[in-house]
Each structure stands twice: as C-alpha cells, then as structure tokens.
Amino acid sequence: MKLPELPFLRSNDIGIDLGTANTLVYLRGHGIIVNEPSVVALNQKTGRVVAVGNDAKAMIGRTPGHIVAIRPLVDGVISDYEVAEEMLAYFINKANSISKRMARPRVVVGVPSGVTNVQIRAVREAAKTAGAREVHIVEEPMAAAIGVRLPVHEPVGSMIIDVGGGTTDIAVISLGGIVTAQSLRVAGDKLNDDIASYIKDEFKILIGERTAEHVKIAIGAVEKSESSPESTIRGRDLVSGLPREVVVTEADIREAIGPSVARLVEATKEVLEATPPEILSDVMKRGIVLSGGGALITGFADLLRKELELPIHVAPDPLTCVVRGTGIILEDIDTYKDILIENEQDLPPK
C-alpha cells in the first residue's frame, strides 16, 4: 500500500516562470526567492558554466572571446537544451539551499500558450535532469490569470494579455480552460530590437541589447505624454567607428516600437473576434487584465482602452503574475490538476 505524501516533505516544491528574459522561482512556504535574467555565461574552452542569472547578464558584451553569454530560451521555448538544464539546476539548487531540504522537488513550470509537444517534452526533460522529482506544465496565460485571482474555474469569461520578454500570450479563459488564444513573438525583446534598429537607421549609431532595454524602461511610451522625457545613449558611430552619444526622445521610442505595438493590438482584436458571444459579453463587462513587463509600458493600457473600447486593468505587480500563479497551483495542486498539461492530449488545438 502506498503511503500518503506528508505535507512537510513537500516544503521544497517549486514554481518556475521560465521566461525568455527573466526566470522567477517560487518556493512553497517562502514565496518568490529568485528573479534573475535567463542568461548563462559559458567558457567555450572548458565547456563549464561561469555564471548564471544576474552575474551572467552583467557579462553580456563585456567578455573575452572564449566566454559567451547565452540565453537558452528564444521566444519562450528552449533553444539550447544543455544550457537550459544547467540554468534550471542552478535555480533548483538555490531553492534547496533556502528550504534546507535536499529532497528532489515537485516543480510547476509556466510555458507560452501554443507550444508544441516537442517543446513541452524539452521543458519536462530539462527540469527532471536538473533535479525535479515530478514536473507539471501550465500555460503562462492560465498561470497569470490564477496569479491575479481571476475565476478561472467558473462559467464566466476572463481575458488576459501577458506581455513577456519573448512572447505575448493573449487568452480568453472559462471553466478551467483556454477558449481562444494567440501567442505572438512580439514582446519585450522585439521592442528592444525595434529600438536598436531605429537608432541605427536614424542616428547611425550601433547600440547593444542592454542599452536598448535601458532606454525602453526609462522613456518608452506608446502615447504622447506631457513631460516628453529624453535619454542620452552611447554607442559606436557607424561612419567613424568611434564612440558617440546622442539624445533620444520619447517620440523616437514611440516611433520605433509603434509597428510592434500595433501588431499586439491587432492580435487582441483577432482573439476577441474568435470569442463566442456569451463569453465576449463577460469580457465586455469584466474587462481585460494586463500582466507581464509590457503592462508597465507608459500608455499601453490607455491605447488598448481606446482601440478596443473595453475596460483595461493592469495587474498588481504584473512582472510576477505567472510565478505567483504557479505558487497558488502548488498550494492546492488537486484543485488545479485539470488545467495542467500532463500529456500531448492536453495541448490546446492550434
């Protein structure tokens, strides 16, 4: 006879928001213990990992030739299996050191909606090889909805837009399932690329990924603000090859990211158009919840409100919605068992 699992043995259960830009880890009984970049620094001569997370991100663009900073996730899915495994092992070991329990943990991992069977299998195997005893997969928009306490199990329509680093997930949820959804490779990283390309074209200056991200956070906006902030950026002049600095304005950034933001609005309209009328009436009444880092872009919520003519709510602490959702699932996994992707048949139709 199999004995029931004792609660105290599950205290190192872990929820992971495995993001393209950042990985967040929730440890049962402790809360969110990790919020670090999804970056691994690798010594190509020895094949050994030099640093993970914050330390590795600080090395981007500043390493000798034989040390490379790798992002093992692209567009929300694993692109470098071995490096992703090393990164997961680092975060799981960090959680074990805090919980002071070395038992193999049960893990809930958030992945973008619309992932393939192969991608699901890669996440599951990487987590198990990294030390997980048991791996459960949940789609990120569902986890985010649970994280902001939307009534996902009730017969009422809820809509969420989760703008992450590699992907934006737009989903309508009802009765514990995703009714209609889209996952776009238009998110924080794409906006960074847009800014870098715009500055290269307009100012003939080459800037790095970190500089583009810094400018986006500092003065990024999708609608004109009263203050019209500016930011000084430094890069390499494409003509002379020498260092040069220029001042960019909010209007420059708005123009740079405009096409990508328009694509997000259009995709949201497409999801609404595919939503059944009864559920659509719930969304009209309850509104749409914005989560993820993109929810913090100045004017984005106002733009959606104007374009869709629906109430738009920015989630409290939008950056942690997905990982908070995985934590809620861990606390009562039996209640949420029906929303987990346990096998290929659980994947939503494309």
Side-chain angles (χ1 to χ4, degrees):
M1 185 178 75
K2 186 179 178 182
L3 294 174
E5 192 174 17
L6 297 175
F8 71 85
L9 291 177
R10 303 191 325 201
S11 61
N12 66 339
D13 289 351
I14 297 169
I16 301 176
D17 174 9
L18 193 60
T20 304
N22 293 285
T23 294
L24 290 84
V25 178
Y26 173 97
L27 176 62
R28 188 175 182 188
H30 294 264
I32 299 169
I33 58 164
V34 171
N35 184 355
E36 296 192 34
S38 302
V39 182
V40 177
L42 200 66
N43 186 324
Q44 290 187 311
K45 289 182 179 178
T46 63
R48 297 184 63 181
V49 172
V50 177
V52 178
N54 289 321
D55 294 339
K57 186 171 183 180
M59 296 180 182
I60 292 178
R62 297 191 172 106
T63 60
H66 65 283
I67 295 178
V68 291
I70 298 171
R71 296 176 70 170
L73 286 100
V74 175
D75 299 328
V77 295
I78 293 175
S79 62
D80 191 318
Y81 179 86
E82 290 181 358
V83 175
E85 183 188 307
E86 293 277 4
M87 185 177 76
L88 280 169
Y90 169 81
F91 291 131
I92 288 173
N93 289 335
K94 200 167 187 177
N96 280 337
S97 67
I98 291 172
S99 70
K100 297 190 168 49
R101 295 185 186 278
M102 300 311 291
R104 288 164 66 88
R106 176 166 57 182
V107 176
V108 174
V109 185
V111 298
S113 63
V115 289
T116 65
N117 297 332
V118 173
Q119 291 160 350
I120 288 284
R121 203 172 298 118
V123 172
R124 196 187 302 279
E125 291 304 316
K128 282 193 173 180
T129 309
R133 173 181 90 248
E134 189 179 311
V135 183
H136 301 280
I137 307 294
V138 61
E139 290 173 282
E140 286 174 356
M142 180 65 83
I146 293 169
V148 296
R149 304 285 184 175
L150 291 178
V152 297
H153 278 118
E154 294 179 17
V156 60
S158 301
M159 186 167 179
I160 191 157
I161 303 174
D162 182 44
V163 188
T167 59
T168 293
D169 288 298
I170 307 165
V172 177
I173 296 165
S174 180
L175 275 175
I178 292 178
V179 179
T180 180
Q182 269 204 47
S183 183
L184 294 86
R185 295 177 177 181
V186 178
D189 288 350
K190 178 66 168 66
L191 300 184
N192 295 344
D193 292 343
D194 291 342
I195 291 168
S197 295
Y198 179 88
I199 289 170
K200 179 182 176 182
D201 294 340
E202 294 294 318
F203 297 97
K204 304 298 182 240
I205 287 182
L206 194 64
I207 64 169
E209 175 190 330
R210 292 184 66 191
T211 301
E213 185 177 30
H214 173 75
V215 172
K216 179 186 71 179
I217 293 169
I219 63 171
V222 298
E223 292 205 304
K224 187 176 181 180
S225 65
E226 294 179 4
S227 56
S228 296
E230 299 177 344
S231 179
T232 301
I233 60 167
R234 298 170 183 84
R236 187 172 77 238
D237 190 303
L238 290 171
V239 178
S240 67
L242 299 174
R244 183 160 71 94
E245 68 175 33
V246 294
V247 174
V248 295
T249 65
E250 180 193 83
D252 292 322
I253 305 305
R254 197 165 62 245
E255 186 176 343
I257 66 177
S260 291
V261 171
R263 177 71 190 101
L264 292 181
V265 174
E266 189 58 35
T268 305
K269 290 179 179 178
E270 289 168 7
V271 171
L272 286 168
E273 287 168 6
T275 302
E278 291 296 332
I279 294 176
L280 187 60
S281 67
D282 292 335
V283 173
M284 290 175 68
K285 184 164 54 179
R286 296 165 52 80
I288 300 171
V289 176
L290 273 183
S291 67
L296 300 174
I297 297 174
T298 304
F300 187 43
D302 292 332
L303 176 67
L304 285 173
R305 205 172 283 123
K306 187 193 305 178
E307 290 285 335
L308 305 175
E309 298 181 353
L310 291 172
I312 306 293
H313 314 287
V314 177
D317 196 8
L319 290 165
T320 64
C321 291
V322 172
V323 77
R324 291 203 317 267
T326 65
I328 292 169
I329 292 168
L330 280 171
E331 297 296 335
D332 190 4
I333 202 158
D334 290 334
T335 298
Y336 294 100
K337 205 130 186 110
D338 60 323
I339 61 99
L340 299 173
I341 301 174
E342 298 299 348
N343 52 55
E344 295 179 5
Q345 285 71 40
D346 294 330
L347 285 168
K350 293 283 192 262

